[in-house]
Amino acid sequence: MNTKALTAITAILVFPVAVMAGPDEENLVINGELDMTSVTKAPAHLENLDTIYSGWHFRTDETQALQIDDFDNPAMIFVDQAVDLFATVDGAAGESCASCHDGVESFKGLQASMPKVDAESGKLVVMEDLINRCRTDRMEADAWKWSGGEMQGMVALIGLQSRGMPMNVAIDGDAAPYWEQGKEMYYTRYGQLELSCANCHEDNWGNMIRADHLSQGMINGFPTYRLKQAKLISRHNRFRGCIRDTRAETFAEGSDEFRALELYVASRGNGLSVETPAVRQ
């Protein structure tokens, strides 16, 4: 069987019946008072979308309801745990996060600009890098596991300080080569199924594929509490799962490849409000 024929059969198997069911028209308001920008004009660097939508608009009414009230949001359990960790002394230096930072509120605005290029090293860094650098260099403590509960709870707590602020990730200057790398990955077909990120989140967003309502793949709400896994899910964990689903060997969490992909995907959501921590199915 030739390659084109195999690809055609694969498309039929993966997208058996694509039913169009676009995003809903509800307004995302947190705790009845924080109006979120969940629909907005696509940033100028996006070539194939005119309007961008938060993934919240593609979830069921029941899932949406969990996110709009912090009392009901299951992610807040992990955020509360992170509040305690922030003040907990750990490591040989006898310090906690609070030893250096006045309060977690001082991180307001940080999540909206991440990932970014570190001025000293010239390398692209994500939130997990910043947290583990503080732990190992300043606290002299062990690094946290990338997708572990402690790490993602802290990422969520820091991200929460920027909730409601517009995503504004820089893609020019020193960030440009990393952004280009991430963009190339986004459009590269992976695995036996020969699927790219764009095949689902650009070509088929709004479609119902089996039981899944495909979104535009925005990551402005990560780490996200995923009901299917009953825990906070990191961005890289979700990337890994998507590539694995194409039946390909995937990249590792914390890899340079996923850092670049995170930068590109985050930039696709420039203008949407930070929703951390979001709730998804």
Side-chain angles (χ1 to χ4, degrees), residues 109-116 166-170:
L110 179 59
Q111 181 59 67
S113 65
M114 295 295 291
K116 62 173 61 179
M167 288 293 298
N168 186 25
V169 178

Side-chain angles (χ1 to χ4, degrees), residues 117 170-179 263:
V117 175
I171 65 174
D172 56 357
D174 292 338
Y178 298 107
W179 185 83
L263 173 64

Side-chain angles (χ1 to χ4, degrees), residues 3 14 16 21 30 43 51-52 56-57 68 84 120 125-126 131 146 149 159-160 168 211 216 235 251 266 277:
T3 302
V14 175
I30 305 295
T51 304
I52 54 175
W56 183 83
H57 288 283
I68 64 175
D84 293 334
E120 293 183 6
V125 294
V126 298
I131 292 171
W146 196 276
L160 177 63
N168 186 25
Q216 293 178 341
R235 296 165 180 84
F251 303 101

Side-chain angles (χ1 to χ4, degrees), residues 246-261:
T246 70
R247 299 177 188 172
E249 291 187 13
T250 187
F251 303 101
E253 295 174 351
S255 63
D256 289 340
E257 289 85 358
F258 276 169
R259 286 185 178 89
L261 183 60

Side-chain angles (χ1 to χ4, degrees), residues 23-264:
D24 68 18
E25 298 180 356
E26 298 294 324
N27 294 322
L28 176 53
V29 182
I30 305 295
N31 298 328
E33 59 183 12
L34 181 58
D35 290 306
M36 309 287 279
T37 299
S38 57
V39 182
T40 193
K41 182 180 178 181
H45 59 265
L46 286 194
E47 301 169 355
N48 302 313
L49 295 176
D50 295 323
T51 304
I52 54 175
Y53 296 86
S54 159
W56 183 83
H57 288 283
F58 301 85
R59 299 305 91 195
T60 64
D61 291 345
E62 293 79 9
T63 302
Q64 288 180 337
L66 291 174
Q67 186 177 329
I68 64 175
D69 189 327
D70 284 349
F71 186 80
D72 294 327
N73 188 334
M76 290 304 173
I77 296 173
F78 301 94
V79 170
D80 288 343
Q81 292 171 350
V83 170
D84 293 334
L85 284 173
F86 192 84
T88 300
V89 172
D90 192 13
E95 294 186 345
S96 67
C97 302
S99 299
C100 293
H101 304 284
D102 293 335
V104 71
E105 299 84 3
S106 63
F107 292 111
K108 183 176 182 178
L110 179 59
Q111 181 59 67
S113 65
M114 295 295 291
K116 62 173 61 179
V117 175
D118 178 66
E120 293 183 6
S121 67
K123 294 182 178 180
L124 183 68
V125 294
V126 298
M127 192 69 75
E128 288 86 348
D129 293 318
L130 300 184
I131 292 171
N132 267 340
R133 185 168 65 187
C134 282
R135 286 188 57 77
T136 57
D137 294 355
R138 298 181 181 180
M139 297 170 65
E140 298 179 32
D142 292 335
W144 280 335
K145 183 179 178 182
W146 196 276
S147 283
E150 293 172 319
M151 173 64 86
Q152 291 310 311
M154 190 61 70
V155 174
L157 174 62
I158 294 173
L160 177 63
Q161 310 313 307
S162 302
R163 188 168 64 176
M165 299 181 68
M167 288 293 298
N168 186 25
V169 178
I171 65 174
D172 56 357
D174 292 338
Y178 298 107
W179 185 83
E180 291 290 351
Q181 179 187 0
K183 180 180 180 180
E184 181 178 359
M185 288 184 65
Y186 192 86
Y187 289 98
T188 296
R189 293 175 179 267
Y190 289 97
Q192 294 177 343
L193 298 183
E194 295 187 350
L195 292 173
S196 69
C197 306
N199 287 140
C200 287
H201 299 299
E202 201 167 84
D203 301 337
N204 283 283
W205 70 269
N207 286 340
M208 295 295 300
I209 305 299
R210 297 189 176 95
D212 191 17
H213 193 184
L214 288 179
S215 72
Q216 293 178 341
M218 299 300 173
I219 59 173
N220 57 304
F222 277 78
T224 289
Y225 185 91
R226 201 169 185 216
L227 298 173
K228 178 180 179 180
Q229 293 161 282
K231 64 178 183 179
L232 284 173
I233 299 300
S234 71
R235 296 165 180 84
H236 291 196
N237 179 288
R238 196 71 202 101
F239 293 162
R240 186 181 65 178
C242 283
I243 292 181
R244 184 185 60 237
D245 288 346
T246 70
R247 299 177 188 172
E249 291 187 13
T250 187
F251 303 101
E253 295 174 351
S255 63
D256 289 340
E257 289 85 358
F258 276 169
R259 286 185 178 89
L261 183 60
E262 181 177 340
L263 173 64
Y264 176 71

